[in-house]
Amino acid sequence: MTQIRPQSRDAIIEAAFQVFGADPRASLADIAERAGVGRATLHRHFKGRDDLMAALAHTAMAELEAAVAEATRDATSYSEALRLSMQAIVPLADRQWFLAAEAVEDAEHRREVSDGYTRQKRELADAVDAAKAEGLFGHDVPTAWIAEAFDNLLYAAWQLVRSGEATPTQAAALAWRTLTTGLGVTKSDK
C-alpha cells in the first residue's frame, strides 16, 4: 500500500483555498493540479467536494480563532479585544471569503461546521455583552444587533479589501469606526 504523505493533505488544503478563492465552482481536478498531486491522492484525503469544503471550513475557523487569540492576548478590556479581533480577522478574507457562500451539503459535515459557527457567534455575543458593560455600546442596543453588525461589517471590509479599494488595516479601521461611532462626521473630520 502506498504511504500517504502528510504534506499532501496540507498542499491540497492550501491549493483549495487559492483555487476556490478565485473560482468557487472550480473542480477537484483543478485543486489536485494546483496542489501538485494526482486526483487519486486528493480522494485518499477527501472523499469528495463536500469533505474538502468541510475541511476548509474547519481550517478557516481554527485560523480565525488562533489569529484572534494571538491578537487579543494582551488586551486590557473587552472593548479593546473586539477592536483587535476585527483587525486580526480582516486580513483573513482570502481564507474566509468563498466559505460564506459555499454550503456544505453532507448533513454530518454541515452540523459540525454549523456547531463551530454557532460557538463563534456565542463567543462574539459574550464579548459584546462584556463591552456593553464597559460602556462601548449602548445598553439599549440588543446584543444580537451589535453582533450582526460586527459580522456584516467584517464582510463589508473583506469586500473592500478584495476589490482593492482598501488595505486590510484601512478596512478594519473603517469597520470599527462604523461599528462604534457610525458614519457621521467625527471631530477629527471637521
Side-chain angles (χ1 to χ4, degrees):
M1 179 176 218
T2 305
Q3 181 70 26
I4 296 176
R5 298 176 306 170
Q7 64 269 28
S8 293
R9 185 178 195 284
D10 294 340
I12 293 165
I13 294 235
E14 286 306 310
F17 274 120
Q18 293 170 15
V19 172
F20 285 146
D23 179 8
R25 297 172 311 224
S27 70
L28 292 182
D30 296 332
I31 305 300
E33 182 179 335
R34 175 65 67 88
V37 300
R39 288 182 65 188
T41 299
L42 185 145
H43 286 288
R44 270 183 258 155
H45 288 284
F46 305 101
K47 295 174 194 165
R49 183 181 184 91
D50 213 47
D51 198 29
L52 178 56
M53 292 306 294
L56 293 176
H58 288 298
T59 299
M61 281 189 282
E63 289 173 350
L64 188 142
E65 289 172 3
V68 167
E70 176 64 25
T72 61
R73 182 182 57 219
D74 298 324
T76 58
S77 68
Y78 287 98
S79 300
E80 181 184 17
L82 277 174
R83 181 183 57 77
L84 293 170
S85 294
M86 188 170 275
Q87 289 176 345
I89 294 169
V90 171
L92 300 176
D94 61 328
R95 309 289 272 191
Q96 306 282 335
W97 180 259
F98 71 92
L99 291 171
E102 189 68 30
V104 175
E105 299 298 326
D106 176 74
E108 183 177 339
H109 287 315
R110 189 174 53 245
R111 186 177 60 253
E112 290 172 3
V113 171
S114 178
D115 288 349
Y117 285 133
T118 299
R119 182 180 41 74
Q120 286 179 339
K121 283 189 156 300
R122 188 174 51 252
E123 289 169 0
L124 175 58
D126 291 345
V128 166
D129 280 338
K132 281 171 78 171
E134 294 171 350
L136 180 63
F137 304 113
H139 290 285
D140 61 328
V141 181
T143 296
W145 179 261
I146 298 167
E148 284 298 320
F150 187 96
D151 279 346
N152 284 290
L153 286 167
L154 280 174
Y155 185 77
W158 289 346
Q159 284 185 308
L160 211 57
V161 170
R162 188 169 175 87
S163 70
E165 294 181 52
T167 67
T169 301
Q170 292 167 329
L174 287 169
W176 184 253
R177 173 186 169 180
T178 303
L179 181 67
T180 58
T181 62
L183 298 172
V185 176
T186 63
K187 290 179 185 179
S188 64
D189 293 335
K190 292 180 183 178

